[in-house]
Structures are given as structure tokens and as C-alpha cells.
Amino acid sequence: MSNEIIDFIKKQDSVFEASKYFGGMAKLLNLSKTNNELKDFIDSKSKGSLVIIDNEGVHHKFDFYILDYEVDDSYNDSVHVNLIVNLIVDYPKLNEDELNLIGKWVGEYCDDGTTYDVTTPVGVFPTYSYYMVMIQEINGKRVPWKLGSLLYDQDNLTSDDEIMKLLDKSNSKEPVTESLIRLQSLFGKTL
């Protein structure tokens, strides 16, 4: 079945046009979760990444899936592309609220439009494209804000320090006692 879907997608102008027949990109991405061949094909056409450069000059890379896009009028040899994305925030030690806060922080940088680099699948957009990223989903769940609106509320912006604490938490090693307790529960004996 995956070969039939892949062949169908190849016959369309793009994976995004084909996704309309499946109910949109989010549904097509969901359909591909159970089939590695289809997932690899869709990833090659819709997965990108962005790098946030925070106020300290530290680079933070995040992957995303393009859910939709708009191409504005081209000027000279370049175009402006508005990407609507599902941001992947993958820090296993953090809870959903913490992951959403990191996603909001990334969204604030994206709305600002000046401090990030974007990589998209080769051949999907013209070589000389300028990107504006708008986060519609974080890890497949709809965000609670309106696209492009995060900078309107300057009093509620997420601080880099708050995010650095979360990132440090996510990268911290477990204390030795917690590791021993986990090993004991796995092997069913006292170490």
C-alpha cells in the first residue's frame, strides 16, 4: 500500500498538494508513522530544521515538519516563503508544559524573524528563498496562540535564562541513587 501512496504523491505537484487528498499534512504525517518507507519519503519532502541564535550567541537546533506554506511575490531571483510548521521539541526528561514553553520561546524568535537559520528539503522551494517560520503545532499538538502573534505581548515573553535552565535540566545526568534504584527494579534485587 505504501508504494501506491508514494506513487500517488509523486504524480502530484508536491507532497503538500497530495496531502490535501489525505486531509492535510498532519494527517498524512500521522498515516506515515506505521510505515517506514512512507515516513522516509514524506520526511524527505517535508522535514526541515531551524537554528535559533539566542542572546548569548548560543545556537539551538530544532527539527520541524512543514504543514503548509505560502509563497509571496518574488523579487529579482528570490522569494519569501511563510512556513507553517509542526515544531519537534525532543527533550525526554522534560514534561509537556516544559516542552511547550521551549516551543513558545522558539516561536518568539521565529516571530521576530531575525535570529534564526532555516533548512528545508532540497528542491521544494527556490534556491534563493527567505523564510518566515510560524509554529502551528508543537510535537503534533496545536499551539494556544495565533500564528505570528507572540511578540504582541511583550510582558509575557519567555526569557533565555528560563529556557537555559530547562535545557540544563534535560541534559543533566541522573544522580547515582536514582540510577541504582532503576537498576534494582529491573533486576529485582538489591545492588
Side-chain angles (χ1 to χ4, degrees), residues 101 104 108 150 153-159:
L101 186 62
K104 179 181 177 278
E108 291 166 359
L150 289 172
D153 189 3
Q154 292 287 311
D155 293 333
N156 286 319
L157 293 179
T158 310
S159 76

Side-chain angles (χ1 to χ4, degrees), residues 107 111 134-136 142-152:
D111 283 4
M134 294 176 277
I135 298 171
Q136 182 172 337
R142 190 76 140 188
V143 297
W145 61 81
K146 183 180 173 195
L147 292 179
S149 69
L150 289 172
L151 296 180
Y152 296 146

Side-chain angles (χ1 to χ4, degrees), residues 86-105 137-145 163 166 169-170:
N86 172 16
L87 183 71
I88 306 304
V89 183
D90 187 17
Y91 295 99
K93 292 183 180 180
L94 300 181
N95 65 41
E96 187 173 344
D97 290 339
E98 292 167 328
L99 295 173
N100 285 332
L101 186 62
I102 292 172
K104 179 181 177 278
W105 175 74
E137 296 180 357
I138 298 173
N139 297 335
K141 294 183 180 173
R142 190 76 140 188
V143 297
W145 61 81
I163 297 304
L166 288 176
K169 175 184 171 183
S170 73

Side-chain angles (χ1 to χ4, degrees), residues 17-29:
E17 287 298 316
S19 73
K20 293 175 184 175
Y21 293 96
F22 297 92
M25 272 307 290
K27 289 187 179 179
L28 183 58
L29 288 167

Side-chain angles (χ1 to χ4, degrees), residues 36-186:
N36 288 336
E37 183 181 2
L38 181 58
K39 182 177 181 340
D40 291 344
F41 178 76
I42 292 171
D43 282 0
S44 72
K45 305 293 184 192
S46 67
K47 191 173 184 180
S49 65
L50 61 89
V51 176
I52 298 295
I53 305 167
D54 69 21
N55 293 326
E56 300 295 320
V58 178
H59 292 64
H60 306 276
K61 182 178 179 184
F62 295 90
D63 290 333
F64 61 78
Y65 287 96
I66 302 166
L67 299 175
D68 202 358
Y69 66 92
E70 296 172 359
V71 178
D72 290 342
D73 293 337
S74 59
Y75 5 85
N76 300 330
D77 292 334
S78 64
V79 296
H80 184 258
V81 181
N82 294 312
L83 299 175
I84 299 169
V85 305
N86 172 16
L87 183 71
I88 306 304
V89 183
D90 187 17
Y91 295 99
K93 292 183 180 180
L94 300 181
N95 65 41
E96 187 173 344
D97 290 339
E98 292 167 328
L99 295 173
N100 285 332
L101 186 62
I102 292 172
K104 179 181 177 278
W105 175 74
V106 173
E108 291 166 359
Y109 273 94
C110 290
D111 283 4
D112 181 46
T114 58
T115 52
Y116 62 93
D117 295 317
V118 176
T119 305
T120 58
V122 175
V124 175
F125 302 106
T127 305
Y128 300 105
S129 295
Y130 297 100
Y131 297 101
M132 181 71 177
V133 176
M134 294 176 277
I135 298 171
Q136 182 172 337
E137 296 180 357
I138 298 173
N139 297 335
K141 294 183 180 173
R142 190 76 140 188
V143 297
W145 61 81
K146 183 180 173 195
L147 292 179
S149 69
L150 289 172
L151 296 180
Y152 296 146
D153 189 3
Q154 292 287 311
D155 293 333
N156 286 319
L157 293 179
T158 310
S159 76
D160 286 354
D161 290 339
E162 188 174 6
I163 297 304
M164 292 313 112
K165 287 177 186 172
L166 288 176
L167 296 178
D168 287 345
K169 175 184 171 183
S170 73
N171 293 324
S172 66
K173 303 258 189 277
E174 288 181 314
V176 174
T177 7
E178 287 183 34
S179 297
L180 282 174
I181 291 169
R182 286 180 192 226
L183 287 172
Q184 287 173 350
S185 68
L186 284 173

